[in-house]
Amino acid sequence: MPTPLYPASPSRLLAWLDCPRRYRMQYLDRPKPEARSQRAHTSVGIATHNVLRDFWDLPQSRRTPEGVAELVRTSWIDVGFRDPEQSASWRARVTESVVDYLRQVDRHRQPLGLERAVALRTDSITVTGRVDRLDDRDGTVVVVDYKTGRQAPSEDDARTSLPLALYAAGAARVFRRPCVRVELHHVPTRTVAAYEHTTESLERKIAEAESIAGDLRRVDADFAERGIESLSFTPRPSPLCTWCDFRAHCPEGQQMGPEKSDWAGLEAVDPSGLRSSVESIEEKP
Ligand code: SF4
């Protein structure tokens, strides 16, 4: 029997790299340990993504600041904020930043895809993911990923991002057109961090995904055999544990300091290094 292809997603691959224990709790343990409640910065991120998707469903005549404000109002997720005043203040802030961001976008030019599913198949894996936006620029496809954290991403972030490279490879196959340019659009600052891949750099990223998936195939099998007795899922404590959704189930992570408040991501530091906040956006249906 040929070995079945390993079904991967960028989030799954990155979860393993972040922390094997968290990967196990998120993807293997059944019943799945209860994750902590949603934080405010995740609510802001999901609402912003939803508005930037639904904006393109509006008729041209309603693609206005007022139309955006209405979308923010109806998309708002009032979860994780300190109090109603903080929620209202961030709703106004998101409205302003999305309006400003869309001012630099040609609102008459419909994107090629919005939250579009793309898939990639190699000899050993299948990768599926959902891309925030795909643009058609002079016959080529461009991957656009929205960011909403406090810190604007750098060109190095665009260059090294595994998900962006896999999206580009997947989009090229889905649309049968070149797709080598990936862009991180930081909505609050309206900055764009971009990178142009080459065939070789995309191949290197696909090989990286295959290598990680090879590790996952091995540890998944170990888990299937030994369950939580498996030694493959060593916790990897770090300062990011104070943001981890599963730290209530992880004594080692609890040693890393007090848990951050639900709204800490809005105010103090940028938690974007903990990828779970991004995953909830990437993997939403
Ligand atoms: S609390 Fe830290 S060590 Fe524990 S699962 Fe989360 S990230 Fe891993």
Side-chain angles (χ1 to χ4, degrees), residues 43-273:
S43 299
V44 166
I46 294 174
T48 304
H49 278 70
N50 289 344
V51 171
L52 289 170
R53 175 197 62 206
D54 296 342
F55 173 80
W56 298 99
D57 287 336
L58 294 176
Q60 295 279 353
S61 59
R62 290 192 52 221
R63 293 180 183 180
T64 60
E66 294 72 30
V68 171
E70 177 62 10
L71 280 181
V72 175
R73 193 184 66 72
T74 54
S75 304
W76 195 243
I77 302 165
D78 199 7
V79 173
F81 295 93
R82 185 184 54 226
D83 50 38
E85 288 72 33
Q86 189 187 45
S87 175
S89 145
W90 272 86
R91 201 173 82 189
R93 198 161 159 173
V94 167
T95 303
E96 191 178 320
S97 65
V98 173
V99 167
D100 286 346
Y101 169 77
L102 287 169
R103 284 189 202 284
Q104 65 183 18
V105 174
D106 181 355
R107 62 187 168 163
H108 302 296
R109 188 168 187 175
Q110 198 72 13
L112 187 62
L114 292 162
E115 292 194 357
R116 172 72 193 248
V118 294
L120 174 69
R121 184 187 171 118
T122 74
D123 290 342
S124 60
I125 60 171
T126 57
V127 183
T128 53
R130 202 172 283 274
V131 187
D132 289 342
R133 196 176 93 203
L134 290 164
D135 286 351
D136 175 356
R137 298 196 204 147
D138 302 323
T140 68
V141 183
V142 175
V143 170
V144 173
D145 193 42
Y146 298 127
K147 293 293 172 198
T148 59
R150 283 172 58 85
Q151 196 172 329
S154 66
E155 288 183 14
D156 218 37
D157 293 324
R159 179 180 64 79
T160 58
S161 167
L162 180 63
L164 287 183
L166 297 176
Y167 294 155
R173 295 185 191 196
V174 168
F175 289 95
R176 298 178 189 279
R177 281 200 255 166
C179 180
V180 292
R181 185 176 174 83
V182 295
E183 296 181 349
L184 292 167
H185 289 207
H186 188 239
V187 179
T189 58
R190 302 178 297 288
T191 53
V192 175
Y195 183 68
E196 299 253 353
H197 276 285
T198 61
T199 306
E200 292 73 29
S201 67
L202 286 177
E203 282 173 356
R204 278 197 298 275
K205 284 296 185 190
I206 292 170
E208 183 183 337
E210 288 178 320
S211 169
I212 301 168
D215 290 342
L216 293 185
R217 192 190 290 276
R218 181 177 52 75
V219 299
D220 288 3
D222 194 39
F223 181 81
E225 190 180 329
R226 300 169 205 259
I228 59 170
E229 301 300 322
S230 167
L231 300 178
S232 299
F233 303 94
T234 313
R236 190 171 295 156
S238 77
L240 295 179
C241 293
T242 55
W243 299 97
C244 177
D245 288 348
F246 295 99
R247 93 182 222 127
H249 312 283
C250 178
E252 293 86 349
Q254 290 167 21
Q255 304 298 316
M256 297 308 293
E259 187 178 33
K260 299 291 183 189
S261 74
D262 281 2
W263 55 90
L266 299 176
E267 296 172 336
V269 296
D270 186 353
S272 59

Side-chain angles (χ1 to χ4, degrees), residues 10-23 26 212 234-238 240-241 244 271-279:
S11 308
R12 188 173 182 128
L13 298 174
L14 294 181
W16 169 253
L17 294 184
D18 274 349
C19 174
R21 170 70 58 78
R22 185 163 70 84
Y23 168 80
Q26 190 164 357
I212 301 168
T234 313
R236 190 171 295 156
S238 77
L240 295 179
C241 293
C244 177
S272 59
L274 188 63
R275 296 183 179 109
S276 58
S277 62
V278 178
E279 282 160 16

